[in-house]
Amino acid sequence: MKSVQWIFVPILVVASSLTLLYPNFAERELELAVRKEFKQLPEETRKELLSSFAERWKADYNPKSDWQIEPDPSIFPEQDYYLVKGRFITSAKINQLSQENQELILEPKNKLRPTWVEEYIFGGRPLAIRLGLDLQGGMRVVLKGDFDDYTSKLKDSYTKEIEELTRKKDDHSLSEKERKEAQDKLKEIESYFELTPGRKLAELEKAKLIIDNRLTNQNLTEPQVRIQKDQDSIEVSLPGVSNSSQILDIIRNTETVEYRLREPSDSNGNSRGTYHDAIELEEMKLMNQGKREETEIVKFQNIVKQKLGKDEQDRFLAAMEKKYNIPEKYKLYVKWSRANNPKASLLPREFVVLERAISLDGKDMRNARESYDQNRLSYYVSFSLTSQGAEKFFDITSKNVGRQLAIVWGDKVISDPVIRSPIAGGNAQIDGEFGQKEATDLANVISEGALPIPLNVLEMRFIGPTLGIESIEVGLKAVLLGFALVIVFMLIIYRLSGLVADIALLVNVIVLMALLSLMGFTLTLPGFAGIILTVGMAVDANVIIYERIKEELAAGKHVSAAVAQGFENAFWTIMDSNVTTLISGILMIKLGNGPIKGFAITLCWGIVTSLFTSLFLSRMIMDLLVNKFGVRKLRIGFKKLESKNV
Amino acid sequence: MFDFIKYKYISITFSTILIVIGFGVTFGKYGGFATSLDFDGGLRAVVEFPENVERKTLEEYFSSKNLEAVLVLMDKDKNDYQIDIGLGSVDQIKQLYVERKGKDSIEAKQASAIDALIGLLQEDFKLEKKKILSANQVGSVVGAELTSTGISLLSLTLFFIMLYLSFRFQFKFALGAILALIHDLVITIAFIGFFQIKPSVPIIAALLTLLGYSINDTIVVFDRIRENAGNLRDAFSQIINISINQTLSRTFNTSVATLISVVAIIIGGAVELYDFAYVLTFGIILGTFSSVFIAAPLVDIYDGLSKRWKRS
């Protein structure tokens, strides 16, 4: 092995690993956002809140005074945030700060500023290793299944069928048998709308599984999803989330995708529908009087911008439906768009009136994929339909040529193209003005199946680590101590070669951590167990090699020959044992979930790094020692074994 | 040189006895494995206790009431404890509450298990209502689905390991390795049952770790057997003996190094990690034992049997 030329490889690997790990131990800056409304509170209250914040800052949040905060916590900041500087600002800490000072801190706007590594090399992508629920806690959201909404949606999807059957049931031109059949079918459909506790639980179970898979696949984390039977709700805990808008993304992901027809244009075909026109007329009036702020759409936008929540939006729309006398047959929606500017944010821009009956829903779609459209410079989502769906789609598009078919994602209308001709063949696409993330989200919702029930947020709070703070502190010390002892043990048993093994071991752990950092992996106790096993196997690899070298030396070989032969003999042993473990690891990643997956990911990457360090790095250092620095007496173990033919 | 093969039947019998005792005690004495919140669901409450209440106090309190509770210290400064009580103790709690409130108390009879738990704690520790930070009846995180995926995952993994080892070594080695792995898994599960360790996510992690460790250990020994079988002219059982003895110092050193880091967790006193560390420590010792006393002898036994079949 011509080691000298190759020495730059491990140096490069270690250097880049340390760069990747930098954000984990660098000084970070956190923008702790404050509420603007705080200034409107009575002075008494403000003083009280600020002084309690300042007090807790000294006692609880920053007991060692190793973080700085600008301005002082007893003063309300002029710019919109407190700037906190310090090392090891964990998301758990950020959550705790926000949670305990809700009137002062605007939690969704908190921001951990990226370090230079994240900024310049990764375009702002966060790199720090996140710790799991067991090691640092996270956010817990309790989502209540909205079964009323579920039933009403279910009713919507059967509207046409019920109309048809009711007509048949009372149609005396049909035979007795046919009428009886229609009646039975009606009864059966009505039974779908009755929710027994057992059925509710089944729907919750389905939802639990979908959320679990989605979270596990999207961010390599180990969420905890439990069902709370008594409250018809699902409890989702997610580690490493530093603000709640991230966890709310899951809920946004719980939405459905469905097609609904717009209200028909009037008989001349030159308007966009009676109710739509009525709303439009009022809005124009206000605009012409210069009262833009009073238009319904601006009011609605404000509800969205202030993040007042879906309930508030629904209330607003229900009030409007009343005001404009929109009949039961229709439902008021809002179309969201970017107003012809791809950089603008997605906002509600126009009210649309759609039929209550669902023309096609997510159950009929599958295999969604997002693709980039070169001409429109935006993403679109294409999907195929089930055979039943294709039939429905053809039926609707052929009966309603010239009308608009709106695509509703959750509660947003994202596009409403005009049906130009009947669409057959079971493939379709949705063009919204999507960015990549939105298109991916939409495709996910279609492919993975939307959640069976709509979910509302019941409560959201920060939770501490499930293993207990004390245990983690003690455990961390124990692991570090254990690691140090292993290093000492290797030194005692193998002397100089032990030092080589220790260097390899340290590099191994550094590179592995850097890889996990790069993947955005969330480390939990099972993941940690994977690292323990990796360290064990890495030590083992070195032990095997040295024992082999010892044998060669005992047989009277020259040092450099013994080293070369020792590595040669150990090579396949190490390969075989590692490959076998790798096989099981890969299977666990592919098929396992949650803890099994977390364990397997660290194990597999650990095997890759320990193969590199034991077969490549250790060998190079040993070669250098023996061939460059002329180490003639290789002390491996207690007996001084020297080559006898020097 | 120590003759391992000579004692093969003794070691296999020893293992079998361990398994029988382990499962016998698990089902005979305890009626099955311990229940846990992660696997079965149950009650979870987070309570802020007065300063003078320590872990020990709480542990004694629950064991005197004959309740299985897992305590986790959530916040040192405020003395917040999370109390997890498995489904197995739900009836017991209701029973206690009814006794406390009097047999005729309608309120007590209608109280849910979680109300009963809170009621008892509030009375016995003189807690205000607001000191109960949260209390819920929660479902399992892992459970039925994990057991079913676990079993299919395990079978598939064993199959692939067998394939690889048959290809790299010979079928007899693959068989020995797989049987030794199953042996390790079964004994460890018996161990978990014997000591009524609560199954949890960390315990699964420990199980997976020991399987990884054990297969690694076994292959190192087998590799040496394969190499010696190519060079030496001795009887197969003799070759196995020589190989085990040659790799003995490596086996010992590796086990010690790995054990150091695990035992550190126990000595360090991370209470909530004890179960995890116990299972790992047991697993590493067992994995080392099985690669020397179980896996290699099994290969020898199969080798002897297959020769006999060929002759007949």
Side-chain angles (χ1 to χ4, degrees):
Chain A
M1 203 165 160
K2 297 262 185 295
S3 313
V4 187
Q5 296 95 310
W6 287 99
I7 195 80
F8 73 89
V9 174
I11 291 176
L12 199 71
V13 170
V14 172
S16 39
S17 299
L18 288 173
T19 313
L20 284 176
L21 288 172
Y22 173 79
N24 288 304
F25 48 80
E27 179 162 277
R28 311 284 318 238
E29 290 178 334
L30 164 73
E31 291 176 17
L32 207 53
V34 286
R35 289 182 180 279
K36 285 205 176 79
E37 304 87 73
F38 185 81
K39 289 180 180 159
Q40 278 126 41
L41 294 170
E43 191 172 350
E44 235 5 74
T45 324
R46 282 196 317 228
K47 267 204 175 119
E48 208 173 296
L49 286 171
L50 281 171
S51 75
S52 94
F53 178 53
E55 198 178 306
R56 301 225 48 185
W57 177 263
K58 283 191 187 68
D60 263 3
Y61 309 139
N62 193 18
K64 296 187 193 124
S65 309
D66 45 2
W67 293 355
Q68 289 115 33
I69 185 166
E70 285 285 322
D72 190 82
S74 57
I75 305 164
F76 188 77
E78 280 313 305
Q79 76 262 55
D80 301 335
Y81 53 81
Y82 288 103
L83 188 63
V84 180
K85 284 185 191 167
R87 289 178 206 286
F88 308 114
I89 303 180
T90 59
S91 52
K93 205 71 176 179
I94 302 172
N95 286 331
Q96 188 190 356
L97 279 168
S98 323
Q99 195 85 36
E100 293 173 355
N101 304 286
Q102 287 186 3
E103 279 122 328
L104 172 63
I105 289 173
L106 182 59
E107 185 262 350
K109 284 230 159 45
N110 288 342
K111 188 175 158 212
L112 201 56
R113 288 182 183 167
T115 55
W116 60 267
V117 174
E118 291 155 316
E119 188 69 65
Y120 298 116
I121 307 181
F122 292 91
R125 189 165 79 89
L127 262 183
I129 294 180
R130 287 187 303 232
L131 296 175
L133 284 170
D134 45 3
L135 301 177
Q136 77 154 6
M139 295 291 289
R140 169 175 297 168
V141 181
V142 180
L143 302 165
K144 196 169 173 59
D146 187 342
F147 285 101
D148 299 342
D149 193 12
Y150 170 78
T151 345
S152 79
K153 272 239 165 90
L154 205 59
K155 279 184 177 147
D156 288 353
S157 62
Y158 281 104
T159 314
K160 287 208 166 87
E161 222 168 321
I162 292 176
E163 271 175 23
E164 182 77 1
L165 289 167
T166 318
R167 197 183 50 74
K168 270 190 183 165
K169 180 177 68 129
D170 306 328
D171 185 350
H172 291 279
S173 64
L174 294 170
S175 71
E176 186 67 36
K177 187 167 166 250
E178 279 172 318
R179 281 181 20 215
K180 176 95 178 63
E181 265 175 19
Q183 185 140 9
D184 290 348
K185 186 84 188 137
L186 257 182
K187 273 218 178 87
E188 188 188 329
I189 289 176
E190 262 153 30
S191 75
Y192 297 159
F193 307 146
E194 284 162 25
L195 292 173
T196 56
R199 238 188 89 190
K200 280 187 180 178
L201 192 61
E203 297 298 334
L204 284 172
E205 285 282 0
K206 270 189 232 159
K208 173 188 166 201
L209 214 70
I210 291 178
I211 293 180
D212 211 344
N213 288 338
R214 210 175 266 171
L215 288 173
T216 311
N217 295 341
Q218 269 175 15
N219 36 11
L220 294 173
T221 163
E222 286 178 39
Q224 278 195 348
V225 189
R226 301 169 187 262
I227 291 180
Q228 298 182 341
K229 246 197 318 224
D230 333 344
Q231 291 112 336
D232 287 339
S233 56
I234 298 176
E235 175 193 285
V236 183
S237 305
L238 248 195
V241 222
S242 49
N243 73 37
S244 59
S245 56
Q246 280 174 289
I247 201 162
L248 286 172
D249 273 355
I250 324 163
I251 302 150
R252 230 205 38 224
N253 256 340
T254 60
E255 296 153 343
T256 49
V257 178
E258 58 213 11
Y259 279 84
R260 292 171 192 246
L261 282 162
R262 264 183 88 144
E263 59 170 327
S265 51
D266 63 7
S267 45
N268 322 333
N270 58 5
S271 87
R272 308 196 49 193
T274 319
Y275 300 101
H276 180 272
D277 286 359
I279 297 173
E280 206 62 348
L281 200 67
E282 283 295 312
E283 298 277 271
M284 288 308 289
K285 252 192 222 158
L286 288 168
M287 287 294 275
N288 294 338
Q289 293 166 0
K291 295 179 179 165
R292 187 171 171 279
E293 288 306 312
E294 286 176 35
T295 57
E296 309 275 14
I297 197 74
V298 172
K299 284 184 196 163
F300 191 80
Q301 282 185 0
N302 287 338
I303 294 177
V304 171
K305 282 180 184 161
Q306 290 165 12
K307 298 204 164 107
L308 297 177
K310 190 170 170 301
D311 291 352
E312 199 54 46
Q313 293 176 24
D314 288 347
R315 263 197 291 279
F316 184 89
L317 290 176
M320 265 185 79
E321 281 175 354
K322 259 212 186 71
K323 183 175 163 187
Y324 290 98
N325 293 325
I326 295 174
E328 188 58 23
K329 188 176 173 207
Y330 298 121
K331 198 165 173 226
L332 185 65
Y333 278 91
V334 188
K335 186 174 172 184
W336 292 56
S337 64
R338 294 190 196 285
N340 303 331
N341 171 6
K343 290 265 189 302
S345 56
L346 201 60
L347 274 178
R349 310 269 178 196
E350 182 194 8
F351 291 105
V352 288
V353 181
L354 305 181
E355 283 191 5
R356 196 171 277 276
I358 297 170
S359 312
L360 191 74
D361 66 17
K363 285 200 287 289
D364 303 315
M365 315 174 192
R366 57 170 182 213
N367 304 338
R369 260 200 323 276
E370 73 275 11
S371 321
Y372 188 66
D373 184 342
Q374 293 287 359
N375 306 326
R376 304 173 58 160
L377 301 178
S378 66
Y379 283 81
Y380 64 91
V381 176
S382 55
F383 60 92
S384 53
L385 291 155
T386 58
S387 58
Q388 205 184 357
E391 218 169 287
K392 269 194 209 164
F393 204 59
F394 179 73
D395 190 47
I396 289 161
T397 48
S398 51
K399 279 184 188 154
N400 297 296
V401 172
R403 280 181 73 180
Q404 284 173 295
L405 187 61
I407 295 133
V408 186
W409 177 11
D411 54 0
K412 304 180 179 85
V413 172
I414 45 179
S415 80
D416 49 356
V418 175
I419 303 169
R420 307 216 175 278
S421 58
I423 301 171
N427 286 311
Q429 67 182 55
I430 301 174
D431 305 301
E433 302 156 324
F434 298 126
Q436 184 176 4
K437 187 176 177 318
E438 285 154 2
T440 314
D441 283 350
L442 178 56
N444 279 341
V445 171
I446 297 174
S447 307
E448 295 170 2
L451 289 177
I453 32 171
L455 298 166
N456 301 327
V457 180
L458 200 63
E459 62 160 321
M460 195 151 48
R461 42 172 293 199
F462 147 78
I463 48 170
T466 50
L467 274 179
I469 304 224
E470 212 179 339
S471 251
I472 291 164
E473 284 172 6
V474 174
L476 188 68
K477 280 188 195 130
V479 167
L480 289 176
L481 175 74
F483 196 71
L485 286 176
V486 171
I487 285 181
V488 172
F489 173 79
M490 290 296 280
L491 276 178
I492 292 172
I493 298 280
Y494 294 116
R495 306 299 166 96
L496 177 65
S497 319
L499 181 68
V500 177
D502 287 340
I503 293 171
L505 199 58
L506 280 172
V507 171
N508 188 0
V509 174
I510 289 171
V511 176
L512 177 58
M513 285 294 175
L515 278 174
L516 296 180
S517 221
L518 194 59
M519 292 191 302
F521 182 76
T522 307
L523 189 64
T524 57
L525 190 67
F528 213 86
I531 294 176
I532 292 181
L533 179 56
T534 301
V535 169
M537 285 176 70
V539 168
D540 189 36
N542 282 301
V543 171
I544 293 171
I545 292 165
Y546 297 150
E547 292 296 324
R548 286 295 202 159
I549 294 176
K550 253 191 206 153
E551 285 172 22
E552 298 298 324
L553 286 174
K557 274 209 176 126
H558 184 279
V559 174
S560 65
V563 168
Q565 192 58 48
F567 271 99
E568 215 61 50
N569 290 344
F571 183 84
W572 278 112
T573 313
I574 294 169
M575 268 309 208
D576 276 337
S577 64
N578 279 279
V579 169
T580 311
T581 316
L582 197 60
I583 289 173
S584 23
I586 289 170
L587 282 173
M588 284 190 244
I589 293 180
K590 284 263 175 275
L591 306 173
N593 52 4
I596 298 184
K597 203 168 174 160
F599 169 84
I601 288 174
T602 49
L603 178 63
C604 285
W605 288 107
I607 288 173
V608 173
T609 55
S610 54
L611 283 177
F612 165 78
T613 50
S614 58
L615 294 177
F616 180 79
L617 184 69
S618 310
R619 177 152 194 187
M620 194 179 330
I621 300 175
M622 287 294 260
D623 269 356
L624 281 175
L625 286 176
V626 173
N627 299 331
K628 282 272 156 211
F629 301 113
V631 174
R632 288 266 177 273
K633 301 169 186 169
L634 196 62
R635 274 176 162 280
I636 296 194
F638 298 109
K639 274 192 289 186
K640 194 158 79 174
L641 290 160
E642 294 175 35
S643 47
K644 300 194 174 110
N645 50 359
V646 177
Chain B
M1 196 168 93
F2 188 81
D3 192 348
F4 289 94
I5 293 298
K6 199 167 121 188
Y7 298 103
K8 64 186 174 207
Y9 292 113
I10 295 176
S11 57
I12 291 172
T13 314
F14 173 70
S15 277
T16 317
I17 290 171
L18 275 189
I19 293 170
V20 171
I21 290 176
F23 282 110
V25 169
T26 304
F27 290 100
K29 187 176 167 191
Y30 299 110
F33 292 93
T35 54
S36 75
L37 205 73
D38 282 350
F39 276 71
D40 312 282
L43 311 177
R44 167 172 282 179
V46 181
V47 181
E48 187 178 329
F49 285 101
E51 268 170 45
N52 58 356
V53 176
E54 295 169 4
R55 172 183 289 276
K56 219 175 152 80
T57 330
L58 288 171
E59 276 171 356
E60 280 164 9
Y61 170 79
F62 283 111
S63 67
S64 73
K65 296 239 178 304
N66 205 357
L67 292 172
E68 289 267 330
V70 176
L71 300 165
V72 176
L73 181 59
M74 301 292 276
D75 191 329
K76 221 163 153 175
D77 308 328
K78 298 203 200 90
N79 210 22
D80 289 354
Y81 276 94
Q82 173 180 289
I83 303 160
D84 284 352
I85 294 180
L87 273 186
S89 300
V90 166
D91 291 342
Q92 168 74 358
I93 289 180
K94 284 186 177 170
Q95 183 71 30
L96 285 168
Y97 195 59
V98 171
E99 281 167 20
R100 174 73 54 91
K101 290 282 170 199
K103 280 216 171 15
D104 311 322
S105 161
I106 306 288
E107 175 207 0
K109 278 183 186 153
Q110 286 175 340
S112 69
I114 201 80
D115 294 336
L117 175 69
I118 293 169
L120 290 172
L121 288 175
Q122 276 188 303
E123 241 177 71
D124 294 336
F125 291 96
K126 301 182 181 53
L127 301 168
E128 298 161 53
K129 188 90 191 147
K130 67 170 191 205
K131 299 286 185 194
I132 310 282
L133 304 178
S134 74
N136 289 309
Q137 182 146 4
V138 289
S140 59
V141 176
V142 284
E145 79 263 30
L146 188 91
T147 323
S148 61
T149 44
I151 290 171
S152 59
L153 185 63
L154 194 72
S155 338
L156 206 65
T157 308
L158 291 178
F159 173 75
F160 273 100
I161 289 178
M162 199 142 168
L163 221 57
Y164 179 77
L165 293 183
S166 303
F167 162 74
R168 288 282 305 148
F169 295 76
Q170 282 166 324
F171 176 73
K172 60 184 172 197
F173 289 102
L175 192 72
I178 295 299
L179 289 175
L181 259 189
I182 293 172
H183 156 271
D184 290 350
L185 188 69
V186 172
I187 287 203
T188 312
I189 290 174
F191 169 85
I192 289 170
F194 183 89
F195 288 102
Q196 287 292 295
I197 291 173
K198 290 189 173 9
S200 64
V201 171
I203 298 295
I204 295 172
L207 268 178
L208 294 171
T209 309
L210 95 93
L211 292 182
Y213 183 84
S214 169
I215 191 81
N216 175 61
D217 215 41
T218 305
I219 289 174
V220 172
V221 177
F222 280 7
D223 190 81
R224 200 56 181 243
I225 299 173
R226 178 179 58 179
E227 187 186 339
N228 288 336
N231 304 334
L232 303 173
R233 288 264 155 262
D234 299 72
F236 190 61
S237 58
Q238 195 49 30
I239 290 177
I240 292 181
N241 255 331
I242 292 168
S243 309
I244 294 178
N245 278 290
Q246 279 175 333
T247 49
L248 210 52
S249 63
R250 167 263 147 201
T251 305
F252 180 78
N253 286 350
T254 298
S255 307
V256 170
T258 318
L259 273 177
I260 286 173
S261 49
V262 181
V263 173
I265 297 178
I266 298 178
I267 295 171
V271 183
E272 284 107 1
L273 294 176
Y274 275 1
D275 286 351
F276 171 74
Y278 287 149
V279 174
L280 259 188
T281 309
F282 176 79
I284 288 167
I285 294 168
L286 179 77
T288 309
F289 163 85
S290 78
S291 51
V292 172
F293 284 94
I294 304 287
L298 279 174
V299 176
D300 183 51
I301 292 171
Y302 180 83
D303 187 64
L305 287 175
S306 63
K307 281 197 178 105
R308 211 175 301 168
W309 290 330
K310 271 183 192 148
R311 265 186 243 128
S312 62

